[in-house]
Amino acid sequence: YSIEFSPMLVGLILTLGSASGLLVRPLYGYLYNKYRAITISVAAFVGSLSLLFVTPLIESFYGFVILMLISGVALGFNQPLSLTIIGSEIDERKHGYAIGLRLMANRLAQLIGPLIFSFFVATSTIELAFIYSSFLLSLICILTIKFFGSKKKIKKIALDR
């Protein structure tokens, strides 16, 4: 099915999502001082992934606005959080290398994500593609958090060799 929003409405929805990511940044320092980084990260991941599960159910402009606002908030927390973790967990002499790897991994995900989603759409329906993608990303997030959740394991990363 098709929702058929005008290009202007699509642009407005995307802009609101980006704006919410910027507007939430002042809360980041407060939350980072109050909660552990892993707690904030898991909450943001769960929030983001929950949105993928409900995306096929949304049919209205305002539903998509709410979805993008929440998505922007999650992204607004996760981007600086990853840089903060790099700054606090990686040897200072290797910050540039670590940030470069983080950015490269981000670009790789931006390359692979649409390909995987397209595969799911081609082999099923767009609604199921969101569900399959949600499960796959949930699994990846769980494995990532499990692997990196321990400071002992972080110290064994190749960056500290």
Side-chain angles (χ1 to χ4, degrees):
Y1 71 93
S2 175
I3 297 175
E4 298 183 19
F5 290 145
S6 71
M8 187 177 98
L9 287 180
V10 171
L12 180 61
I13 291 170
L14 295 174
T15 300
L16 290 172
S18 297
S20 69
L22 288 173
L23 295 175
V24 77
R25 296 279 167 98
L27 293 174
Y28 173 75
Y30 169 77
L31 290 175
Y32 186 77
N33 290 331
K34 188 170 172 99
Y35 301 101
R36 293 177 42 218
I38 192 75
T39 304
I40 300 168
S41 184
V42 168
F45 281 139
V46 168
S48 295
L49 292 172
S50 301
L51 298 175
L52 279 177
F53 281 105
V54 301
T55 298
L57 305 175
I58 298 174
E59 297 181 7
S60 73
F61 170 76
Y62 294 107
F64 278 104
V65 167
I66 292 168
L67 181 128
M68 287 305 295
L69 288 173
I70 296 169
S71 178
V73 167
L75 190 60
F77 282 124
N78 270 337
Q79 284 182 336
L81 182 63
S82 67
L83 297 173
T84 302
I85 291 170
I86 288 170
S88 64
E89 299 293 335
I90 303 297
D91 183 313
E92 188 176 312
R93 296 169 296 183
K94 298 180 182 179
H95 280 182
Y97 180 68
I99 290 171
L101 285 176
R102 181 237 180 245
L103 292 174
M104 185 177 67
N106 188 284
R107 296 299 174 259
L108 183 62
Q110 290 174 349
L111 173 74
I112 293 172
L115 293 174
I116 292 172
F117 188 80
S118 296
F119 170 78
F120 288 148
V121 170
T123 58
S124 63
T125 65
I126 192 155
E127 293 87 0
L128 286 175
F130 278 100
I131 302 299
Y132 296 155
S133 297
S134 300
F135 279 117
L136 179 62
L137 289 172
S138 297
L139 177 64
I140 291 168
C141 285
I142 289 167
L143 293 174
T144 301
I145 290 167
K146 185 174 177 133
F147 180 77
F148 288 107
S150 166
K151 284 190 175 188
K152 292 177 187 173
K153 289 181 182 174
I154 289 174
K155 298 298 180 193
K156 293 181 181 178
I157 296 174
L159 290 172
D160 286 338
R161 288 187 186 163

